[in-house]
Amino acid sequence: MSDRLAAMLPGWGIDIKGAGPLYHRLRLVLEKAILSGKLKEGDVLYSERDLAEHLRVSRVTVRKAIDHLVQDGFLVCRRGSGTFVGGSAVHADQPPLCANSLTGNISWRGSDTKVECIERSTSHPAPEEMMTLGLSSDSHVVRITCLRSSVGQPLAIERTCISSEFLPHARTVTSSICNTLADANFRPVRAIQRTFASNIEDPDASLLGVAIGTAGLLTKRVAYLASGRAIEFTRSLFRGDAGGFVSKLTFLEN
């Protein structure tokens, strides 16, 4: 194995020790290499076989870690060419900023918003939820859907998914989801959020009071525990004519 790979990714037993699924811990090792600049935009990632041999893990573990980094925009897979560091990856030498309340600190310019819970349910996870939260098909998740509005005008729909391992019952959420998790000693310490342009279709168009196909903004946020385990997956769909919004971010205490 090359000296460059050894310098970029320490071997097994150093950086990927700890609790949580192995592929999540490996994902954090690769993410750290990207954020620190050891892997730069456009760099090709080593093959799954080379990474598996160097880190002494299975190729399945490597593949799952890479799939999550692709989903979060850190890596890009090009068929026939390989896997590269993506241009959307954020490089920073400082700790990541995390929302103090992952679901409660979004507001629109010049307005106070009202949050109304419109649906709570428990069921098996959908494929995207399984992939994001590292769950099996026979596990269960709690889903909470909220509608944000201002002066009677709906502005956004938020759908939060959490494994029932951490939140057994949706009815236990009485304030923010983040506070509920913190009270149960499952406080998220970091989050990654991606933003996309998206057309609003039914039933969301009806809930937001816009025509089908209206332009909107879709965010997907994944929150993580200190162990690296993904604990919360929230998809938020905003009206495109909301006039702008502000997200309050703060450093979490260690």
Side-chain angles (χ1 to χ4, degrees):
M1 190 60 57
S2 71
D3 292 338
R4 179 171 175 265
L5 180 55
M8 181 182 68
L9 297 175
W12 168 251
I14 300 177
D15 276 23
I16 51 178
K17 272 186 174 181
L22 182 55
Y23 71 88
H24 273 295
R25 287 180 271 149
L26 174 55
R27 178 202 184 286
L28 293 178
V29 173
L30 294 170
E31 180 184 321
K32 182 178 179 181
I34 295 172
L35 293 175
S36 66
K38 290 180 180 178
L39 277 172
K40 297 179 173 59
E41 179 181 343
D43 281 355
V44 63
L45 192 68
Y46 286 87
S47 69
E48 289 180 3
R49 183 181 65 182
D50 287 345
L51 289 171
E53 289 179 354
H54 175 64
L55 295 170
R56 299 205 293 276
V57 299
S58 72
R59 291 183 66 174
V60 172
T61 295
V62 172
R63 187 174 302 114
K64 290 185 72 173
I66 290 175
D67 286 344
H68 277 263
L69 288 167
V70 170
Q71 183 177 346
D72 288 334
F74 286 95
L75 297 175
V76 176
C77 288
R78 298 173 185 166
R79 190 171 183 178
S81 299
T83 303
F84 301 80
V85 177
S88 61
V90 178
H91 296 263
D93 295 326
Q94 61 188 26
L97 285 172
C98 297
N100 194 33
S101 171
L102 292 176
T103 59
N105 279 340
I106 297 177
S107 60
W108 273 257
R109 290 198 301 251
S111 66
D112 294 325
T113 62
K114 175 184 176 181
V115 181
E116 176 188 4
C117 180
I118 58 176
E119 185 179 358
R120 299 171 189 244
S121 64
T122 301
S123 63
H124 293 297
E128 184 180 20
E129 294 165 344
M130 291 172 53
M131 178 69 179
T132 302
L133 297 177
L135 302 174
S136 62
S137 59
D138 60 352
S139 58
H140 287 82
V141 294
V142 168
R143 296 191 186 88
I144 298 176
T145 302
C146 294
L147 180 67
R148 287 183 176 269
S149 59
S150 177
V151 197
Q153 180 185 29
L155 298 173
I157 301 169
E158 294 180 350
R159 293 182 172 91
T160 299
C161 175
I162 299 173
S163 170
S164 58
E165 173 185 353
F166 304 110
L167 185 65
H169 305 289
R171 62 178 179 270
T172 60
V173 179
T174 57
S175 56
S176 74
I177 295 174
C178 188
N179 289 341
T180 302
L181 292 174
D183 290 342
N185 295 318
F186 295 124
R187 185 183 181 91
V189 299
R190 56 188 292 273
I192 293 177
Q193 180 168 289
R194 297 175 295 144
T195 304
F196 312 86
S198 177
N199 292 331
I200 304 175
E201 306 294 340
D202 264 342
D204 295 337
S206 296
L207 288 171
L208 293 176
V210 298
I212 295 175
T214 297
L217 187 69
L218 174 66
T219 66
K220 294 185 178 183
R221 182 183 64 241
V222 185
Y224 298 89
L225 298 172
S227 65
R229 176 79 180 272
I231 186 173
E232 178 206 342
F233 180 34
T234 296
R235 288 154 288 190
S236 302
L237 183 61
F238 303 91
R239 289 175 55 140
D241 60 353
F245 59 90
V246 177
S247 297
K248 180 181 178 182
L249 300 175
T250 58
F251 284 104
L252 291 178
E253 295 180 1
N254 294 326

